[in-house]
Amino acid sequence: MAQEYFDFTNDLIFHWVMEREENCLVILRVILPELKITAVKRRENEHPVNYLAFDDERGVRFDAIIEDDQERFYDVEMQVANQPGLGKRVRYYQVQIDQETLKKGEDYDDLRESYVIFFCAFDPCGQDRRLYQFHYYEDNDRQLRLPTNSHLILINALGTKGQITPALAAVLDVMNRRRDNQNPLAVSLVKEIDGYNRDKKRRRALMNLQMRLKDERRLGLSEGRAEGRDEMALGLIHALQAQGMPQKQIVEALALARKISLAEAQRYYEQVAQADSGGEH
């Protein structure tokens, strides 16, 4: 029986790919070639938050903001399920970028240009376009645009209409598990993702997270049974500890799996550590 293959749309795979700044740079450049980005750096959240739950009762979060050489900010996310509340989700991501990047003592005049970018494994708008861009426009005069310096880009992996760069088309082929695209970016991404699938420690983490999420769905814990969710989180920590995974990676994996902030995941980890050392919860 063939092993299950975890692709670019998997939360952990996408997270590992985007941990590397060189990947962030090349992916942003193929989405926004007109910006002529030459360098980026990842800024870890100074104040990790547990995002508001929307219609599907699941939180969302990002673990890093990308900053380019012109002090523009980006949040790039993978969206697999076409769930209700996408517009509210986008709105909240944008608010968090502004809160995380506005320096102490600055006011709204100092807000930098920002982009929220979603790779979608579905058509988010139902127009079969490969790329959707949104800004603030006046309802009766589409030529009048409010200069908020904020941008929303939704990339549709299933789309067939509209012009995108060949390299971005290659990324979408990777999302769709098409392995015949010989674009250098597609070849590089497939090689990296294949490597994560072969790596024994990373594969154990992928399988463990998948199993825990399946258990949650089967038991209905994602519907609000807080005590059960706590038990799942603590059980996952013990499982990853048994595999020898370092604390930082365990906290990151838990945050991704449970869709919680790094701070909340860290609290779960400390709860387990205290219990294991003989303390009380």
Side-chain angles (χ1 to χ4, degrees):
M1 184 176 178
Q3 281 191 324
E4 180 174 2
Y5 183 82
F6 297 94
D7 61 25
F8 193 41
T9 64
N10 177 275
D11 276 347
L12 264 181
I13 294 288
F14 184 75
H15 172 75
W16 289 332
V17 169
M18 296 302 289
E19 271 188 332
R20 299 178 56 199
E21 289 183 352
E22 57 265 40
N23 287 337
C24 295
L25 174 60
V26 69
I27 287 174
L28 287 176
R29 290 184 68 170
V30 303
I31 298 171
L32 296 160
E34 67 276 12
L35 297 187
K36 303 185 184 304
I37 304 168
T38 59
V40 298
K41 60 183 177 181
R42 283 168 50 92
R43 291 171 44 129
E44 300 298 327
N45 287 359
E46 295 179 9
H47 310 291
V49 293
N50 185 15
Y51 278 19
L52 296 177
F54 297 105
D55 295 341
D56 61 343
E57 298 284 322
R58 294 182 68 84
V60 292
R61 70 172 193 91
F62 57 83
D63 59 10
I65 301 167
I66 304 167
E67 181 179 1
D68 73 8
D69 52 308
Q70 299 298 315
E71 293 190 329
R72 294 174 291 229
F73 296 110
Y74 308 83
D75 173 42
V76 185
E77 301 289 335
M78 180 66 68
Q79 298 290 315
V80 177
N82 189 7
Q83 297 169 329
L86 182 63
K88 295 177 184 177
R89 199 177 297 259
V90 167
R91 176 179 171 185
Y92 202 73
Y93 273 70
Q94 182 61 63
V95 169
Q96 290 303 317
I97 289 179
D98 293 340
Q99 289 182 349
E100 290 290 333
T101 58
L102 198 63
K103 298 175 183 176
K104 187 176 181 179
E106 295 180 332
D107 59 27
Y108 64 86
D109 285 332
D110 299 303
L111 286 170
R112 275 61 163 192
E113 189 169 11
S114 64
Y115 291 78
V116 174
I117 301 171
F118 282 4
F119 280 100
C120 299
F122 54 90
D123 188 340
C125 302
Q127 301 294 314
D128 194 33
R129 291 166 55 186
R130 293 190 283 185
L131 188 147
Y132 301 94
Q133 296 191 62
F134 295 89
H135 299 91
Y136 286 85
Y137 292 96
E138 206 283 323
D139 286 350
N140 297 307
D141 182 0
R142 301 297 293 172
Q143 301 302 312
L144 182 58
R145 174 174 150 187
L146 194 65
T148 63
N149 247 9
S150 61
H151 312 264
L152 167 63
I153 297 176
L154 304 179
I155 301 168
N156 171 22
L158 303 180
T160 63
K161 298 178 181 177
Q163 295 296 315
I164 58 176
T165 63
L168 180 53
V171 175
L172 300 188
D173 278 349
V174 174
M175 284 183 65
N176 289 313
R177 295 195 181 188
R178 299 188 187 114
R179 303 177 66 91
D180 57 348
N181 192 316
Q182 294 305 305
N183 181 280
L185 178 55
V187 173
S188 174
L189 285 174
V190 168
K191 182 178 179 181
E192 184 172 346
I193 295 167
D194 285 350
Y196 294 142
N197 274 270
R198 288 193 300 268
D199 184 281
K200 291 183 179 179
K201 182 173 290 188
R202 291 185 189 260
R203 186 165 186 86
R204 281 198 300 270
L206 288 162
M207 294 294 292
N208 215 306
L209 291 176
Q210 182 188 53
M211 186 179 303
R212 295 290 175 176
L213 291 174
K214 284 182 178 179
D215 286 344
E216 278 193 10
R217 287 192 291 269
R218 184 172 61 251
L219 298 174
L221 296 179
S222 61
E223 297 298 325
R225 292 165 58 182
E227 182 178 351
R229 286 199 303 271
D230 289 348
E231 291 177 358
M232 279 291 182
L234 301 179
L236 177 56
I237 292 171
H238 277 126
L240 297 179
Q241 284 178 329
Q243 296 170 10
M245 185 177 287
Q247 174 182 339
K248 182 176 183 295
Q249 291 184 22
I250 291 175
V251 171
E252 290 174 349
L254 177 61
L256 280 169
R258 297 295 305 117
K259 302 292 184 184
I260 58 178
S261 70
L262 288 173
E264 188 171 353
Q266 181 65 36
R267 285 196 294 273
Y268 276 122
Y269 186 93
E270 291 170 356
Q271 184 179 347
V272 168
Q274 184 180 26
D276 290 345
S277 64
E280 296 183 357
H281 288 272

